[in-house]
Amino acid sequence: MSLRGYGCDVPIAIATLTACGLLVAIFAHPTAAQQTDYSEAIAQVEEVANREVEAGHITGVSIALVDDQRIVHSGGFGMAHKERGVTAGPETVYRVGSISKLFTAIGAMRLVEQRQLDLDAPITDYDPALAPVKPFDAGLPITLRRLMSHRSGMFRESPVGGYFDDSEPSPEAVVRSIQPCVLTYRPGDRTKYSNIGVSLVGHITARRADQPFVDYQQRQVLAPLGMNRSAFLPDDTIREHLATGYLYVAQPEGGFREIESPRFELGTIPAGNLYSTAEDLGRFVSMLFADGRAGDTQMIRHATLQEMFTPQQADADTGFGLGFLVGTFRGHKTVQHSGAVYGFTSSLVALPEEKLAVIVLANDDITTGPVDRISDAALGALLQAKLDEQPPVPPQTVELPQQRLAAMAGQYESESYWAELTLHNGQLSGIVSGQPLELQATSENTFRASGRLWDGSELAFERDAEQPDRFRFMDQIFRRVRQDQSMNPPERWQQYVGSYGPDFIPLIVSIRHGHLYMMTENLYDYRLRPVNTEVFACPPGLYEGEEIVFQRNAGGEVYGVILANMPLARRPAAERDAD
């Protein structure tokens, strides 16, 4: 047994399994990493992960902690499949969603180093058909650099193979479907996250390499890294070890119901279809820490990695580099990506200067709150063990007078969302656009917000307000909605209310406070702004800058919508009621 793929071929002198089934590897030759005692850090991570599972916040989770060229800890908690009683472990396979984009970027940059691709050439140089409609004056071209950093102005999804499409179309059909679509923004003007944009990077890479994208990735990226339980398309071995994803499906009457996630491959394979394990992703980050070397293979040059780790927006310290999201954690630079795909949530965070990383993979849909809590706790524990860096003192909770809390309760709206805060048994809690929110007061005006989607985010009311009428949360201002201020919606909007698209990821249209809302991707209700009688603009969020268009037949009945290029049929009332 060796560590080939972790960045070296040094044999393991000792490999011990703890009582929890966690693998701790010790090298024959001592290094700085081996001299660090991670036992206390591991215990802290175990405690946090077990707490999230026992509280029912998460079904199953696998974790890998990396120090340079060594996975110092890997293990699983909870269930990979509840009904069959299969426990999660270090070798459990998960769908890792948009972490796939990191591998697509590495594959493309290998060809850039070989001068087979040019980061700054128009993508039409590689395929003239990659020319969506540009409603702008002649300006900057769409390039690989702008696609990988989400600065191309590209729309989020493609009409064929978009996130609502379970038909498993061919990669060629997905790419060709963008031709009649209109760019959302002028290339280079602003950041807009795009799955189809990164899929075009994979398409161009495959054309230049003269082989299918999944084959190129397997031969040129996954295999040299020793990622033997990873693939962009699953084989029998991966299916055998694949965790069951649990999907929380939005309901027309509000709330969610849990189902086992359907299994199908995304049309945008390069953007989100990778299957992997926590340990395999640990091998990937070890390559990053080794300046792009995996064993005897120089996967990517040091200078190339540094460019990938640099935000592509001018004068920015954080933001998207090439594939990687560049951020900070307690003052340390991070390169990272998260993922969420039909019943799975994932996080990969690396500190390149300290050579520490945490991978967290879960089999619940959009459980970013518990995943981030585990990841943050693990990063903090690693920094404390390796650098003796003490964690910040968490804000203390306080008790507020019931009169003060009662004054905060009520209905609110922001540019994108609605919120309802309620006082029950002396505790203020809430729902934000369909998602439950737990609140703990940290001062007279501030609360720590937690839930399935939040990890200690701050919710702050205006200071010194006797009657609190607004608060800041999720980078938006929520203002109190008063009954006498609610607008009366046009009668025709009632015809739009209902469910559209697949039963496992319905788009649900509703009316609240006189505004039209759409619940999409089982995530949030988004507040829509009317453009004309049938067209509504999407607010900041998943589909910012795009539109939803209601479609009517010759008899005037609404039979479907087009959401940001994706056609979604209206679901019959009987079928909706059956759900």
Side-chain angles (χ1 to χ4, degrees), residues 98 150 154-157 163-164 184-185 191-195 340 365-366 416-417 453 474 476 505-507 518-527 538-547 563-564 566:
S98 288
H150 301 281
M154 192 71 67
F155 31 88
R156 182 179 176 89
E157 304 287 349
Y163 199 62
F164 290 79
T184 306
Y185 300 115
T191 300
K192 177 176 172 58
Y193 194 83
S194 174
N195 286 318
D365 195 52
I366 321 176
S416 300
Y417 314 105
L453 302 181
M474 297 169 64
Q476 294 195 6
I505 184 171
L507 185 145
M518 68 170 188
M519 164 66 71
T520 184
E521 298 195 19
N522 295 315
L523 185 58
Y524 292 118
D525 281 329
Y526 284 104
R527 177 176 162 182
C538 300
L542 287 179
Y543 294 96
E544 182 175 5
E546 303 191 69
E547 296 177 335
L563 169 63
M566 296 177 290

Side-chain angles (χ1 to χ4, degrees), residues 1-4 6 9-13 15 23 25 279 283:
M1 184 175 180
S2 74
L3 293 183
R4 189 175 67 81
Y6 290 8
D9 286 316
V10 179
I12 297 175
L23 179 64
E279 288 191 346
R283 294 171 171 84

Side-chain angles (χ1 to χ4, degrees), residues 13 66 70 84 137 187 259 269 282 312 326 474 493 562 571:
V66 182
R70 187 169 65 122
R84 296 203 304 266
D137 298 334
I259 66 168
I269 287 175
Q312 296 298 296
V326 183
M474 297 169 64
W493 286 10
I562 298 176
R571 300 184 61 212

Side-chain angles (χ1 to χ4, degrees), residues 350-422:
L351 281 58
E353 295 173 6
E354 295 76 15
K355 297 189 176 183
L356 295 172
V358 174
I359 296 100
V360 182
L361 307 179
N363 60 333
D364 290 282
D365 195 52
I366 321 176
T367 48
T368 51
V371 165
D372 286 349
R373 283 192 287 274
I374 295 170
S375 179
D376 289 353
L379 280 172
L382 291 178
L383 285 168
Q384 186 171 4
K386 187 172 184 177
L387 303 180
D388 196 27
E389 181 178 300
Q390 298 303 306
V393 177
Q396 297 298 306
T397 59
V398 299
E399 288 191 19
L400 297 183
Q402 292 293 292
Q403 183 178 1
R404 176 69 176 170
L405 294 176
M408 293 173 171
Q411 303 282 340
Y412 297 81
E413 273 190 311
S414 73
E415 181 181 8
S416 300
Y417 314 105
W418 60 267
E420 181 180 9
L421 302 186
T422 56

Side-chain angles (χ1 to χ4, degrees), residues 34-247:
Q34 292 167 298
Q35 293 167 3
T36 300
D37 180 5
Y38 283 107
S39 57
E40 186 173 340
I42 291 170
Q44 292 178 34
V45 174
E46 289 179 359
E47 180 181 356
V48 173
N50 278 320
R51 185 165 63 240
E52 295 293 340
V53 171
E54 290 168 2
H57 297 157
I58 204 164
T59 300
V61 60
S62 294
I63 302 168
L65 310 181
V66 182
D67 184 346
D68 199 358
Q69 300 308 292
R70 187 169 65 122
I71 295 181
V72 298
H73 166 92
S74 64
F77 307 83
M79 307 304 295
H81 194 292
K82 291 187 286 190
E83 288 72 16
R84 296 203 304 266
V86 179
T87 56
E91 291 298 311
T92 300
V93 175
Y94 297 79
R95 302 191 77 168
V96 302
S98 288
I99 289 177
S100 308
K101 293 177 172 68
L102 303 182
F103 292 81
T104 298
I106 290 289
M109 294 305 290
R110 295 199 73 182
L111 293 184
V112 170
E113 288 185 343
Q114 299 166 21
R115 301 193 176 185
Q116 296 187 54
L117 290 175
D118 183 340
L119 273 178
D120 299 307
I123 59 173
T124 48
D125 287 359
Y126 303 109
D127 185 347
L130 302 183
V133 178
K134 285 187 177 181
F136 317 109
D137 298 334
L140 298 174
I142 300 173
T143 64
L144 287 170
R145 183 187 300 277
R146 295 190 178 103
L147 289 173
M148 281 191 274
S149 59
H150 301 281
R151 302 279 297 176
S152 69
M154 192 71 67
F155 31 88
R156 182 179 176 89
E157 304 287 349
S158 52
V160 174
Y163 199 62
F164 290 79
D165 185 357
D166 59 353
S167 66
E168 300 185 311
S170 69
E172 190 71 13
V174 172
V175 169
R176 298 306 168 212
S177 73
I178 73 167
Q179 288 182 297
C181 299
V182 180
L183 283 186
T184 306
Y185 300 115
R186 190 189 307 270
D189 275 9
R190 59 188 298 173
T191 300
K192 177 176 172 58
Y193 194 83
S194 174
N195 286 318
I196 183 57
V198 175
S199 295
L200 297 185
V201 176
H203 168 74
I204 291 169
T205 299
R207 279 176 67 95
R208 208 62 171 173
D210 196 26
Q211 56 186 297
F213 172 80
V214 294
D215 294 345
Y216 175 81
Q217 278 288 324
Q218 192 65 41
R219 294 165 183 165
Q220 298 298 322
V221 181
L222 301 178
L225 286 170
M227 296 179 64
N228 299 322
R229 287 202 172 178
S230 302
F232 275 85
L233 289 178
D235 58 17
D236 289 343
T237 299
I238 285 177
R239 292 189 187 94
E240 179 184 352
H241 294 91
L242 178 63
T244 295
Y246 294 96
L247 189 65

Side-chain angles (χ1 to χ4, degrees), residues 451-484:
R452 190 160 69 95
L453 302 181
W454 301 284
D455 170 31
S457 303
E458 184 179 81
L459 186 153
F461 280 88
E462 286 188 327
R463 294 181 179 276
D464 304 325
E466 294 184 6
Q467 176 65 33
D469 281 340
R470 65 183 66 189
F471 62 84
R472 175 172 288 277
F473 185 57
M474 297 169 64
D475 295 324
Q476 294 195 6
I477 297 295
F478 288 74
R479 293 176 172 82
R480 186 181 294 274
V481 176
R482 303 185 186 280
Q483 288 301 115
D484 58 352

Side-chain angles (χ1 to χ4, degrees), residues 69 102-103 105-107 109-110 112-113 119 225 284-294 297-312 321-324 326 333-335 350 352 355:
Q69 300 308 292
L102 303 182
F103 292 81
I106 290 289
M109 294 305 290
R110 295 199 73 182
V112 170
E113 288 185 343
L119 273 178
L225 286 170
F284 173 74
V285 294
S286 284
M287 177 272 291
L288 303 179
F289 294 156
D291 285 335
R293 178 171 290 277
T297 302
Q298 188 69 46
M299 295 285 299
I300 203 88
R301 297 172 190 159
H302 169 78
T304 302
L305 279 180
Q306 294 312 300
E307 186 170 14
M308 298 180 77
F309 294 169
T310 301
Q312 296 298 296
L322 300 178
F324 293 88
V326 183
K333 178 178 180 177
T334 62
V335 292
K355 297 189 176 183

